[in-house]
Amino acid sequence: MIKLANRLKSARPSPTLALNAKAKALAAKGADVVSFAAGEPDFDTPTNIKDAIKGALDSGFTKYTATGGIPELKAAIVDKLKAENKLEYSPEQVLVSVGAKHSLYNIFQALLSPGDEVIIFSPYWVSYPDMVRLADGEPVIVETSAHNNWAPDPSQLRKALTPRTRAVILNSPSNPTGGVYSKETLLAIAEAVRGHDCLLVSDDIYERLLYVDGGFQNIANVAPDLASRTVVVNGFSKAYAMTGLRLGYAAGPKELIAGMQMVQDQSTSNPTSVVQKGAVAGLKGPQEPLFAMVKEYAKRRIVMADGLSKIAGVKCPRPDGAFYCFADVGELIGKSYKDQTITGSLKLSELLLEDFLLAAVPGEPFGADGYLRFSFATSQAIIEKGLARLAEFASKVS
Ligand code: PMP
Ligand code: GLU
């Protein structure tokens, strides 16, 4: 028997990826699966990005690059952050990695020593606590509630901050809730952390996917005095429909970025050379394909959220951002389907996949049992088909 590292004992594989893989495997076998599992755009990658990647391949751009990204891409990221986010960085403050997930992983590897704490608002994206644990850190969970549109409560945050707090993770628009932090919420978070020497990790991966007025803003925008201890994380997966191409980046304090670069130097080296060229084309090229995708998500969001709310035992207000409906299915929990008790969201998700070929991610690994996450990054026809299956299931629950 091979004895594995102790740090693996407290982590678990990504449940979102696992369910997505299970749904894809069933579909590959010919099953008529409707999957709301993946946080993955169904749109194709924009043509100009694909052309740039093909061009780079044909011209032999297939060798190692600088670990942290090619200068051209770093410059394009610096320009994007300045023009769109009103944030100023030098190229040494930017590190390009193999997806935003990798950027986050590098942050915790570079930042944490055993026992250091990271504050995470729940419901949270499934990977945050495990990434912290894999870096020997301790996730400290602060709950938020649907009644408050998932906005963190500053007094709860204050209670959770300790001398061991090394970072607070902010994710707006949020996966899984779709919640968007208002300026007031961001200002209240800023006020709460001001007296504490901790890093702010702003995971902005869904910044483009907003369905409310006011535009995108993060903590460094509303509290410029905290910009020097904020690391912004973003990537190409969602905005440019490039999930499988794996490219993300972080921009933040020089010392942190240098530490992350060292971790990356000794693990993956550079992100894929040709994909970096595609990302340059994405950032510098026409942004219309993005706007078209967002327009379509906005329509689907209404079909999905309103359709869910019509189903007995399901409640789901329209989310303000991202492409997830985080539906309250609490009324179904504890009830029975056939001869089985629906003990929680894991059981519910299992029954839906097994009996109705419907994949929805259980809320439990997001820290919110009693909820199911439905991604609407899929066509309206599929959304309607999936909703019909859920309604049929709900009609059989007693
Ligand atoms: N942050 C959040 C909140 C996410 O939902 C995801 C998953 N798409 C990521 C980061 C990582 O994205 P990627 O690694 O594909 O860039
Ligand atoms: N972040 C996406 C999701 O939540 C992709 C899966 C993953 O990286 O865990 O579905």
Side-chain angles (χ1 to χ4, degrees):
M1 266 293 265
I2 307 286
K3 190 175 174 297
L4 297 178
N6 284 338
R7 81 177 81 81
L8 293 198
K9 287 185 190 141
S10 55
R12 57 179 168 179
S14 163
T16 43
L17 290 182
L19 186 64
N20 196 22
K22 202 166 164 185
K24 281 187 178 169
L26 279 169
K29 278 196 225 149
D32 179 24
V33 179
V34 170
S35 181
F36 297 139
E40 170 163 76
D42 59 327
F43 299 105
D44 197 4
T45 309
T47 313
N48 65 316
I49 296 178
K50 292 206 287 191
D51 287 345
I53 295 174
K54 287 182 209 162
L57 258 183
D58 289 342
S59 69
F61 192 70
T62 53
K63 305 292 195 278
Y64 292 130
T65 72
T67 291
I70 54 176
E72 209 186 336
L73 176 55
K74 282 197 179 189
I77 291 170
V78 166
D79 290 348
K80 181 262 179 219
L81 289 167
K82 188 170 178 185
E84 275 180 32
N85 303 96
K86 313 281 174 268
L87 296 173
E88 301 258 0
Y89 296 99
S90 63
E92 312 87 82
Q93 290 180 279
V94 174
L95 185 77
V96 186
S97 300
V98 187
K101 197 180 218 172
H102 186 210
S103 304
L104 288 158
Y105 188 83
N106 285 339
I107 290 173
F108 302 121
Q109 290 295 323
L111 188 74
L112 302 179
S113 300
D116 283 348
E117 295 171 1
V118 176
I119 294 181
I120 300 171
F121 296 108
S122 90
Y124 42 76
W125 178 41
V126 290
S127 293
Y128 295 147
D130 287 316
M131 285 198 267
V132 168
R133 289 189 193 104
L134 286 172
D136 294 326
E138 308 260 349
V140 174
I141 307 301
V142 174
E143 286 181 14
T144 67
S145 139
H147 303 299
N148 206 10
N149 209 9
W150 307 108
D153 173 348
S155 64
Q156 297 293 323
L157 171 58
R158 275 203 182 83
K159 275 190 215 146
L161 285 159
T162 76
R164 296 232 64 170
T165 307
R166 299 300 318 282
V168 178
I169 306 179
L170 306 175
N171 176 220
S172 168
S174 148
N175 177 6
T177 66
V180 174
Y181 297 169
S182 65
K183 186 173 181 187
E184 292 65 40
T185 296
L186 288 168
L187 283 170
I189 293 171
E191 192 49 36
V193 299
R194 235 174 225 120
H196 286 262
D197 182 21
C198 60
L199 181 77
L200 296 161
V201 179
S202 186
D203 181 348
D204 297 354
I205 191 125
Y206 297 101
E207 67 172 342
R208 306 261 193 174
L209 306 180
L210 273 182
Y211 314 109
V212 284
D213 294 335
F216 175 76
Q217 57 200 340
N218 67 20
I219 193 124
N221 296 129
V222 308
D225 61 308
L226 298 181
S228 60
R229 56 173 162 120
T230 299
V231 58
V232 167
V233 174
N234 210 327
F236 295 84
S237 285
K238 315 290 166 174
Y240 295 93
M242 285 172 61
T243 43
L245 293 169
R246 313 301 306 125
L247 208 70
Y249 58 89
K254 253 186 211 154
E255 324 80 272
L256 176 71
I257 296 292
M260 291 164 63
Q261 157 127 1
M262 211 246 285
V263 173
Q264 187 159 310
D265 236 27
Q266 299 294 18
S267 51
T268 57
S269 304
N270 61 277
T272 305
S273 58
V274 295
V275 177
Q276 295 186 59
K277 290 281 191 185
V280 172
L283 288 173
K284 290 194 169 166
Q287 303 298 300
E288 281 71 26
L290 263 79
F291 304 144
M293 289 189 231
V294 177
K295 223 168 149 185
E296 189 54 34
Y297 290 137
K299 287 189 216 150
R300 296 168 176 186
R301 151 189 178 260
I302 294 173
V303 177
M304 178 74 108
D306 295 7
L308 282 166
S309 294
K310 283 192 194 120
I311 296 172
V314 183
K315 287 193 270 299
C316 187
R318 294 176 184 174
D320 290 342
F323 43 47
Y324 305 108
C325 278
F326 202 52
D328 180 345
V329 292
E331 281 181 33
L332 300 176
I333 310 287
K335 294 197 170 160
S336 300
Y337 167 74
K338 291 190 177 164
D339 55 348
Q340 302 191 59
T341 306
I342 306 169
T343 47
S345 60
L346 292 164
K347 184 71 189 169
L348 182 53
S349 166
E350 190 186 301
L351 289 171
L352 287 171
L353 189 59
E354 277 170 13
D355 272 28
F356 292 85
L357 293 174
L358 177 63
V361 190
E364 192 268 348
F366 297 99
D369 210 8
Y371 285 81
L372 284 181
R373 190 192 78 174
F374 298 83
S375 161
F376 53 86
T378 189
S379 73
Q380 285 195 44
I382 293 179
I383 292 172
E384 273 154 16
K385 189 168 166 181
L387 288 173
R389 290 186 188 183
L390 184 65
E392 195 190 337
F393 169 81
S395 73
K396 292 181 175 158
V397 165
S398 56

